[in-house]
Amino acid sequence: MATTTPMRHDTHSTTAQGTWSTKRIAVTALLCAVSLICTLMLEFPIIPGINWLQYDPSAIIALLAGFAFGPATGAVVSILPYLVHLATMSGVYGTIMAILATFTLVMPASLIYSHDGSLRGAILGLVVGAVVCLAACIVGNILITPLYMDISVQGVIDTIVPILLPFNLAKIAINCVVTVLIYKPVTKVLSA
């Protein structure tokens, strides 16, 4: 005789990772809101004289989401908050670049951390994510920037070493260092 397990009312089976509790959905929505605030209100240039490249700490929020709840939540927080940029001066191409930069950092980091939840796993994940993100940002700029700025592909290539590489390295370093410093206590609170 087959037995059935009663369905819990506080979960929703939405991913291969298992169930998303109502709390997880609510916390994910909150993290998306915090990331949205970061991307809209906390943007600032980090390279003097290069004001068109802006840093915001939203990737830190996405990394925390990925470390606390896994890659699926990290992906959601890497994508949804940036969609508002479709209605800003960033437009479609700026939105694509923002999602590309965050997603390629968060996914490798959260995938590795989901298999090794130690400090070693967090650091390894962030290093792998940093390499993937840096490569994706450079290739993305070469392919996408000429479509929305009045610059040739060669013009973008000429900016890689003096502008794009330092900006992306600084952005990735800030995101990774801050995440390493705060992820343990923050993820404990988020997943409690």
Side-chain angles (χ1 to χ4, degrees), residues 10 15 32 72 77 80 84 96 111 124 126 134 141 156 175-176 182 192:
D10 65 339
T15 68
C32 284
V77 181
L80 288 183
V84 73
I96 291 169
L111 282 166
L124 177 62
L126 289 167
L134 185 61
N141 271 290
V156 174
N175 291 333
C176 291
I182 68 171

Side-chain angles (χ1 to χ4, degrees), residues 141-161:
N141 271 290
I142 291 169
L143 297 176
I144 296 171
T145 301
L147 299 174
Y148 74 96
M149 291 184 72
D150 190 24
I151 188 169
S152 67
V153 171
Q154 186 58 49
V156 174
I157 292 170
D158 292 343
T159 67
I160 290 174
V161 172

Side-chain angles (χ1 to χ4, degrees), residues 88-104:
T88 68
M89 288 177 48
S90 296
V92 173
Y93 300 113
T95 301
I96 291 169
M97 288 302 296
I99 291 171
L100 176 72
T102 304
F103 188 83
T104 57

Side-chain angles (χ1 to χ4, degrees), residues 33-46 53-61 85 174-175:
V34 171
S35 181
L36 175 64
I37 291 167
C38 288
T39 190
L40 289 177
M41 298 183 175
L42 298 177
E43 286 187 319
F44 54 90
I46 54 176
L53 289 174
Q54 303 271 320
Y55 170 79
D56 72 75
S58 58
I60 296 167
I61 308 303
H85 283 285
I174 293 167
N175 291 333

Side-chain angles (χ1 to χ4, degrees), residues 12-144:
H12 309 276
S13 181
T14 57
T15 68
Q17 280 186 307
T19 59
W20 284 53
S21 68
T22 304
K23 178 185 175 189
R24 181 175 172 188
I25 292 168
V27 171
T28 301
L30 177 66
L31 291 170
C32 284
V34 171
S35 181
L36 175 64
I37 291 167
C38 288
T39 190
L40 289 177
M41 298 183 175
L42 298 177
E43 286 187 319
F44 54 90
I46 54 176
I47 297 180
I50 311 294
N51 294 334
W52 54 277
L53 289 174
Q54 303 271 320
Y55 170 79
D56 72 75
S58 58
I60 296 167
I61 308 303
L63 283 165
L64 294 172
F67 281 12
F69 297 111
T73 304
V76 169
V77 181
S78 294
I79 296 169
L80 288 183
Y82 294 107
L83 296 179
V84 73
H85 283 285
L86 292 170
T88 68
M89 288 177 48
S90 296
V92 173
Y93 300 113
T95 301
I96 291 169
M97 288 302 296
I99 291 171
L100 176 72
T102 304
F103 188 83
T104 57
L105 176 62
V106 171
M107 289 313 295
S110 60
L111 282 166
I112 291 170
Y113 186 74
S114 71
H115 293 289
D116 180 1
S118 67
L119 176 61
R120 180 184 157 282
I123 291 172
L124 177 62
L126 289 167
V127 168
V128 172
V131 171
V132 172
C133 177
L134 185 61
C137 287
I138 298 302
V139 171
N141 271 290
I142 291 169
L143 297 176
I144 296 171

